[in-house]
Amino acid sequence: MSCYLNSENHLDPGPIYVRENGQLHMVNLALDGVRSSLQKPRPFRLFPKGFSVELCMNREDDTAQKEKTDHFIFTYTREGNLRYSAKSLFSLVLGFISDNVDHIDSLIGFPEQIAEKLFSAAEARQKFTEPGAGLRALQKFTEAYGSLVLCSLCLRNRYLVISEKLEEIKSFRELTCLDLSCCKLGDEHELLEHLTNEALSSVTQLHLKDNCLSDAGVRKMTAPVRVMKRGLENLTLLDLSCNPEITDAGIGYLFSFRKLNCLDISGTGIKDITAIKHKLQTHIGLVHSKVPLKEFDHSNCKTEGWADQIVLQWERVTSEAVKLQETSEPRAAAQRFCETFPFLWSFLPLSYFSPLKQWEAGSNRSPREVSAGRYPHELF
């Protein structure tokens, strides 16, 4: 900001008032016995005549200009005039840290209320969708705040999100509900092995419906509980339905889940149903239900926590990438064909080009040029 000041040598202090006995009196100044006349008080000026202010925002490059304007909040008055006010220091600092959130060393011990605001600011800037930096930033929050970041995660039928954001998903800690239904993971998937990690020992509800699991996958998932008494030991609900490769032997591995209250094994490859019912009742006290349980209708499982919108961002970015790939592949294939066999265009029959019906013998353009109003290499 630059300014210049042109004023008189002696500034007029303005009229002076004195309160006496509840009455306000204006005092006339006297100098050397001569009373100065202040019959009509002069208006008081905040700045003297000749004072001017000039904003120098436009004198720097675009980056510096953006940083300058980011410090202000611009609004319009009722009269349509533009008004701006400076942002608070807290807002400025919060914005700067959120822009560099992946460089934070640790958030352990940081107040939760401030951390939530910081998380929301970073999310608004889509910092968690950036490759590499997003994962580092997310890990800082999950290791410090656990279930506050995400307590329930629903990835039902979102196998593309799992494929693209596997490391980010593995960074979540202290989940209580996890829905991986219809994701076709299989026995050897890395996420299935991650389920046995100590970070997910808090999971109480696990949905693995239609995931191409077999007895080997169930054995691997239950190994920590059976051998070391850790892992999914707090599991109270388990959905293994629609996995036809799980047989009577695989069901036997589930007896180590002592806290299990609800189990869905419909659509599996069980042969001796009567024997399995008896073993489940004997070992973990489960009784067969003749009607479907509402716990398995997936209406209660949803993504909850600070990061719920981040999961939606992942899904949106992944779906957009898939659509772009689907539209670009046929075009690229056609272009490669034209580049590889350019001579074929000279031998294609006229019936190949449907718009050629509009071509007239007197046209100056060749039949191939007339096709769709484009040249051959522009057809795709």
Side-chain angles (χ1 to χ4, degrees):
M1 178 180 291
S2 63
C3 65
Y4 65 89
L5 177 63
N6 293 326
S7 63
E8 302 174 356
N9 294 332
H10 302 285
L11 297 178
D12 183 6
I16 300 175
Y17 295 88
V18 176
R19 183 179 296 277
E20 182 179 1
N21 297 328
Q23 300 293 327
L24 190 65
H25 303 278
M26 184 178 68
V27 179
N28 292 331
L29 299 178
L31 182 62
D32 296 333
V34 180
R35 297 175 61 87
S36 61
S37 60
L38 294 175
Q39 300 297 331
K40 185 177 181 180
R42 300 174 60 186
F44 178 73
R45 295 178 179 273
L46 180 62
F47 298 103
K49 291 182 178 180
F51 182 87
S52 67
V53 177
E54 180 183 3
L55 294 178
C56 302
M57 291 183 179
N58 298 326
R59 296 187 178 182
E60 302 178 14
D61 57 6
D62 295 339
T63 304
Q65 180 180 350
K66 183 177 184 301
E67 292 178 356
K68 292 263 186 184
T69 56
D70 280 349
H71 297 170
F72 299 95
I73 302 175
F74 294 91
T75 56
Y76 284 93
T77 62
R78 272 184 193 175
E79 294 77 14
N81 299 324
L82 181 64
R83 180 178 60 186
Y84 67 90
S85 57
K87 290 184 179 180
S88 65
L89 180 59
F90 175 79
S91 299
L92 297 177
V93 173
L94 191 69
F96 176 79
I97 298 177
S98 61
D99 285 333
N100 302 275
V101 66
D102 57 304
H103 298 293
I104 297 177
D105 290 334
S106 176
L107 287 170
I108 297 177
F110 203 67
E112 298 171 357
Q113 296 84 349
I114 306 299
E116 184 176 3
K117 295 180 181 295
L118 178 60
F119 191 93
S120 300
E123 177 189 339
R125 290 166 167 80
Q126 296 188 354
K127 302 297 292 185
F128 298 109
T129 59
E130 297 179 0
L135 174 60
R136 292 193 300 271
L138 189 61
Q139 288 174 340
K140 296 296 186 298
F141 283 96
T142 54
E143 68 183 6
Y145 304 103
S147 60
L148 290 177
V149 178
L150 213 62
C151 62
S152 178
L153 176 60
C154 181
L155 294 174
R156 178 181 175 86
N157 204 25
R158 293 182 173 91
Y159 51 90
L160 291 177
V161 176
I162 295 177
S163 177
E164 295 294 330
K165 299 294 181 180
L166 179 60
E167 294 301 323
E168 286 82 350
I169 294 172
K170 289 169 60 178
S171 67
F172 292 124
R173 299 165 176 257
E174 301 180 15
L175 292 172
T176 57
C177 183
L178 180 59
D179 191 347
L180 300 173
S181 302
C182 309
C183 290
K184 313 294 184 182
L185 297 180
D187 296 333
E188 303 299 329
H189 198 278
E190 189 176 348
L191 187 56
L192 189 65
E193 181 180 355
H194 180 67
L195 293 177
T196 62
N197 195 293
E198 191 67 24
L200 293 181
S201 60
S202 58
V203 173
T204 59
Q205 300 181 26
L206 180 60
H207 299 267
L208 293 173
K209 176 182 179 180
D210 192 13
N211 267 288
C212 304
L213 299 178
S214 66
D215 294 342
V218 177
R219 182 178 68 250
K220 184 186 299 184
M221 184 178 62
T222 58
V225 180
R226 292 184 288 107
V227 178
M228 296 174 287
K229 305 300 180 182
R230 66 181 187 183
L232 297 172
E233 57 182 350
N234 295 314
L235 205 62
T236 59
L237 183 147
L238 178 61
D239 186 358
L240 292 175
S241 60
C242 302
N243 289 287
E245 297 298 322
I246 298 179
T247 64
D248 303 46
I251 301 300
Y253 298 125
L254 304 178
F255 298 155
S256 56
F257 294 141
R258 297 295 180 179
K259 297 181 181 180
L260 201 61
N261 294 326
C262 300
L263 174 65
D264 189 354
I265 52 176
S266 59
T268 57
I270 299 176
K271 302 298 183 182
D272 193 349
I273 299 179
T274 304
I276 292 298
K277 290 180 182 179
H278 177 71
K279 290 180 180 179
L280 288 174
Q281 184 174 1
T282 303
H283 289 83
I284 52 180
L286 294 182
V287 180
H288 177 255
S289 175
K290 297 182 180 180
V291 296
L293 300 178
K294 63 178 182 180
E295 286 82 0
F296 296 106
D297 60 3
H298 303 279
S299 60
N300 297 326
C301 184
K302 56 184 178 180
T303 303
E304 293 180 333
W306 297 351
D308 55 352
Q309 295 301 315
I310 294 180
V311 178
L312 295 178
Q313 288 180 5
W314 291 346
E315 184 178 3
R316 183 172 61 253
V317 171
T318 304
S319 60
E320 289 176 354
V322 171
K323 290 180 180 178
L324 180 62
Q325 183 178 5
E326 290 177 350
T327 55
S328 62
E329 283 183 355
R331 181 186 180 93
Q335 289 178 344
R336 287 194 299 269
F337 177 83
C338 296
E339 294 172 358
T340 306
F341 306 102
F343 61 91
L344 289 180
W345 288 101
S346 303
F347 302 99
L348 287 173
L350 294 181
S351 59
Y352 182 81
F353 302 97
S354 57
L356 287 178
K357 297 179 182 179
Q358 303 174 0
W359 179 70
E360 297 178 0
S363 175
N364 294 328
R365 300 181 63 185
S366 66
R368 283 182 294 171
E369 295 175 351
V370 174
S371 175
R374 303 175 181 176
Y375 289 91
H377 64 277
E378 297 175 336
L379 289 175
F380 300 94

